[in-house]
Each structure stands twice: as structure tokens, then as C-alpha cells.
Amino acid sequence: MNTESDYSAMARTNPVFVTAKTAVCLMAQAEIPDAERIVRSLKIENKEPLQDLSGSTVILGNALVVEAKYRTMCSLIENSGYRTCVDLPCGYTPKAFHLTAKGIQFIGLDLPIVVQEMEPVMHSLTAYPERMAFHPVDATNYDSLDAALEKTAGPLCITTEGMMMYFTESELEAVVNNVCTLLEVHGGAWFTPDPEFMIQFFLTFQSLFGEDWMKKLEAAGNAAKKQSDVANLSNSFIIDAADIPGSVKRTEAFLAKFGLKAEKLNLAEYMPELSTYRFLTSEQIVQFKKAMGNCYYWVITLDGARKLRSDTTNKEQPFAMHYTMENGLFRVSLCGRLDSITAPELLLKWEKEKTATNIERAIVDCERLTYISSAGVRVLLTMEEKTKCGVTLIHVSPLVKKLLEQNEKLSFTEICEQ
């Protein structure tokens, strides 16, 4: 997809990509090497993504969290002994420059809209283009991950930063199973701060802002929701700051279902010195470092022998759609997966017909639809909102119905099961 309309469709289908631009702008604020070069190449020098963050103090708190994660994760990857880093999602991070300069192969995986923008920027700026590669994927789609890593030798250092909190429970299960399968096939480990991302935010804002910390944290949270179109940032992978011991056990039990175990690394012990300290008082620095002693990054590995997933060689049906338009009725039949990669195609076809004629009603035949992600639901809800008589889903399988029901914004005119 290369046209302006294609880009628009991808952006509206996957609005969460804006948070990645916010992250690189915050890295530039923290003077992380090469972040400003990326910001300039993306033509966001005015730091527009930061305008939702409600003032300089909220930006400071976010920049401190982002820099702590970036520098700590880079250090952990370098010292892990692994020579291939698979960053999911890679976003617009300068991590690729840092790691390839250390001789580490960097493979960035992300939404198509991010890879389309990021790949030419990174290859134009790097001194080591042969050590980096970028591939568009949907994290819930194993085939897309498998294809991206088909020629990659293991073992892998798989990293996720700022992704896991955006998934519904069913999406989370698919992603964790996919990562587990990649570890089985290639070997390696999964490094992530995501289980305790809320704790790191809470402790950072508490250490900086005293009595005002909750108000400022709420402003940061509201900005994230506005940018990503995510209703809530919680699932079985995310530790609840209100019940840390209980939810840690819950997350460990969740991972155990997939044959995974976690080692927890104390952030204060592994966090390098940060550039953002220059904006803090001595007391704030002391309080921040102390607070990070209560936050952990997780290194997740396979827990003993687990039978290789039986369907790793069984490719899913490719996405296909067939539609007709007659007397104000848009009827479409879907096959395969409607996810981050394929949902923009449906959106473009529907908008093309809506521009040419008046659509009063839509019927979506889901008989051969095998999976729907939040991106797919978002497109169907757009159709529902802008169609006079709404959208009717027919022949909906139990699995697809379950996936639909996990979306808090569900509001279709009718859902007819198989």
C-alpha cells in the first residue's frame, strides 16, 4: 500500500501506531542518540505527538519512563549473549542503530504502516544496513511472524516494549502462543518490561510529583487512550498495581499454561544513568532510583520440554473478500483472517462503494472468517456507524463471536451465529 488513501486506511485501522511516534519524540526529548535524526526524517520536528500530554511536567514523567526502558533494554540485550534481536514491535526506535553498532543483528517487526515509514528512514541513516531488516507482521498471526523470520538463525532475543497491554484476552493468548512457538523453533528468550509497565509509571510519577502524581498520571493515561483508541490497558499479562502479589501469581500461571517461566530482573540494579536526570532535582533522582527498586523486567523462557505446536506447518487460509453492491445493500463475504494486515483492504473497498453510491445497509458473511482482531472489529464498527441501517453479521462461528464479544465497543445491528 503506497497511495495516500492506503496510508489513511492503515492509520485509521491501526491508530495505536501513533504511540510509537510519541515514544521516539520522548526519546528525542531525553537526548537518546539518533532519536532526533529519526524525528527529523519523519518530519515531526515540532513534536506534534507530544501535544496530547498536557504540559511539560507530564512530558518529563513520560520521557523518564521511556528513557529508563530504552537504555535498560539495550543494556540487557547487549549483555544477554544473543546476537540476533527480534524487536516486536520495533516502532520508530533508534535501538536498531545502537545494537547493530555493537555487532548484533536487528530484525524489526511491526504493523505495515510503521514498517512502510520506518524501513527507508533507518536504511538511509544506518552505517550497518546489512545488520538490520524490517518486516510487516500481525503479532496474533503466526504465519506472518514465521515468514518474517524464515531465514533467521537462532537463538533469538525477542523483545516487546509497550505492546502487550493493547490486546484483548484472546489476542493476548494468540500472541503469547506465537512467541512461545518462535522460541521452540529458533531458541532464545523473551525480554519485556510490559508486565510491570503500569507499576513503572506509577512509581515514576509518585517519585517526581508528590501529591500531584495521580492527576499527572491520569493525564498521561488519557493521552495514551486518545492516541491508540484503546478502551482499557489490562489483561492477564499485565500486573495490577493495586494487587501486585496476587496478579504476579496470575501472570505466572498464565505463562505456565503455555510452558513458559519468567526470571525477574530488578530495574534499579540494571538501569544505567539517564540523560533525563539533568531536569530533576537531587532529591527527585534519589527518590526515582529508590522507587525503581520495586520494579522488575521479565526474561521469559521455555519451561522444560513442550511439544512443538502441531500446526506450525499448516498455513492459514489467505485473506479473501467478495462483495456486491445492489439497491443500497453492501454485501461482503470474508475468508481467512481480518487483522492488522488485511483490515485496511476491507475499509478501502467499503469506502470506495460508499463514495460512489448510497449504502443504507451492510451484510457481512463470516462463514469462512477464521479470526478477527481489534483492527478488524474497528473497520466493522466504522461501517456500522456510517451506514443508515447498520451492519448485520451472519454465519458467525463461536470463535469469532467470542473475539467480537471481548471488544467493549461492540454495537452491531445484529449478529447471527452459524
Side-chain angles (χ1 to χ4, degrees):
M1 291 187 175
N2 296 309
T3 68
E4 185 175 339
S5 61
D6 291 337
Y7 181 90
S8 174
M10 288 191 292
R12 286 176 289 133
T13 304
N14 300 292
V16 71
F17 87 99
V18 177
T19 63
K21 288 189 173 180
T22 300
V24 74
C25 287
L26 289 168
M27 291 179 192
Q29 291 285 115
E31 297 185 0
I32 289 174
D34 298 309
E36 186 64 39
R37 288 202 299 161
I38 295 173
V39 165
R40 289 197 302 269
S41 295
L42 293 172
K43 296 182 171 54
I44 48 176
E45 300 98 320
N46 62 354
K47 309 297 192 296
E48 182 180 351
L50 301 185
Q51 293 176 9
D52 292 328
L53 290 181
S54 304
S56 59
T57 55
V58 176
I59 290 174
L60 174 61
N62 277 271
L64 188 56
V65 171
V66 166
E67 185 186 6
K69 285 199 299 183
Y70 176 85
R71 293 194 188 278
T72 304
M73 288 292 286
C74 282
S75 177
L76 291 175
I77 295 165
E78 285 177 55
N79 294 317
S80 70
Y82 296 113
R83 307 310 296 166
T84 300
C85 173
V86 177
D87 201 24
L88 174 69
C90 62
Y92 302 91
T93 177
K95 189 187 298 176
F97 296 137
H98 179 85
L99 295 179
T100 53
K102 302 288 184 178
I104 296 173
Q105 187 77 18
F106 180 88
I107 301 174
L109 309 180
D110 212 314
L111 297 167
I113 189 171
V114 175
V115 172
Q116 179 178 297
E117 284 190 315
M118 184 63 164
E119 186 171 26
V121 167
M122 298 301 285
H123 279 117
S124 71
L125 299 177
T126 184
Y128 305 99
E130 73 283 359
R131 296 179 187 169
M132 65 173 65
F134 298 88
H135 301 280
V137 301
D138 182 305
T140 67
N141 184 338
Y142 181 76
D143 287 350
S144 71
L145 298 171
D146 186 43
L149 300 176
E150 183 179 11
K151 298 180 181 179
T152 302
L156 307 177
C157 178
I158 299 173
T159 57
T160 61
E161 295 178 57
M163 178 178 76
M164 304 304 290
M165 65 285 296
Y166 293 120
F167 294 123
T168 64
E169 197 68 20
S170 291
E171 288 174 322
L172 173 68
E173 291 176 356
V175 171
V176 173
N177 196 50
N178 289 344
V179 172
C180 186
T181 304
L182 291 177
L183 293 177
E184 290 170 331
V185 173
H186 297 275
W190 175 15
F191 289 65
T192 179
D194 284 3
E196 302 195 24
F197 93 99
M198 287 200 304
I199 298 172
Q200 188 175 351
F201 265 101
F202 278 33
L203 295 176
T204 298
F205 277 64
Q206 280 181 331
S207 66
L208 294 188
F209 303 126
E211 294 180 356
D212 291 336
W213 77 272
M214 181 59 76
K215 181 179 179 181
K216 295 183 185 300
L217 185 65
E218 287 177 354
N222 290 336
K225 290 180 181 180
K226 178 180 177 181
Q227 290 184 344
S228 63
D229 191 34
V230 170
N232 79 63
L233 303 177
S234 64
N235 54 47
S236 294
F237 196 78
I238 305 304
I239 305 304
D240 182 357
D243 179 23
I244 294 176
S247 57
V248 165
K249 290 181 180 179
R250 180 202 64 186
T251 301
E252 289 175 334
F254 173 81
L255 291 172
K257 290 194 308 181
F258 298 90
L260 296 168
K261 61 181 179 179
E263 176 188 2
K264 302 171 188 67
L265 305 181
N266 187 276
L267 176 54
E269 295 178 13
Y270 290 89
M271 182 175 65
E273 288 295 296
L274 306 179
S275 300
T276 311
Y277 288 163
R278 71 190 186 283
F279 298 118
L280 307 180
T281 66
S282 298
E283 182 180 355
Q284 285 177 317
I285 295 172
V286 170
Q287 291 299 319
F288 171 71
K289 289 183 176 181
K290 181 180 178 181
M292 292 304 98
N294 296 303
C295 187
Y296 295 82
Y297 285 13
W298 292 35
V299 180
I300 301 170
T301 54
L302 295 174
D303 187 7
R306 192 188 92 139
K307 185 178 179 182
L308 184 64
R309 202 177 82 169
S310 61
D311 62 346
T312 54
T313 59
N314 297 328
K315 301 296 183 182
E316 295 197 51
Q317 296 182 68
F319 175 74
M321 58 179 291
H322 175 74
Y323 70 93
T324 59
M325 183 72 211
E326 185 176 358
N327 297 326
L329 173 62
F330 179 82
R331 183 186 292 270
V332 60
S333 175
L334 301 175
C335 175
R337 297 174 55 95
L338 189 65
D339 57 23
S340 301
I341 297 173
T342 59
E345 184 177 343
L346 173 59
L347 180 61
L348 284 171
K349 296 293 186 185
W350 179 77
E351 290 185 334
K352 177 183 177 182
E353 292 298 328
K354 188 167 179 60
T355 300
T357 187
N358 180 39
I359 299 179
E360 295 189 353
R361 184 184 176 203
I363 296 178
V364 182
D365 189 337
C366 302
E367 184 172 13
R368 295 191 297 158
L369 184 66
T370 58
Y371 185 88
I372 185 168
S373 73
S374 295
V377 173
R378 188 173 290 112
V379 172
L380 295 181
L381 289 173
T382 298
M383 294 167 59
E384 171 80 18
E385 179 184 351
K386 297 184 178 180
T387 304
K388 181 179 178 181
C389 299
V391 172
T392 297
L393 308 181
I394 63 173
H395 303 142
V396 178
S397 70
L399 172 60
V400 171
K401 187 172 187 291
K402 177 184 176 182
L403 297 171
L404 289 169
E405 289 175 342
Q406 289 189 4
N407 192 291
E408 295 184 4
K409 298 180 181 180
L410 198 67
S411 60
F412 297 111
T413 300
E414 188 176 8
I415 299 177
C416 304
E417 298 182 56
Q418 288 180 347

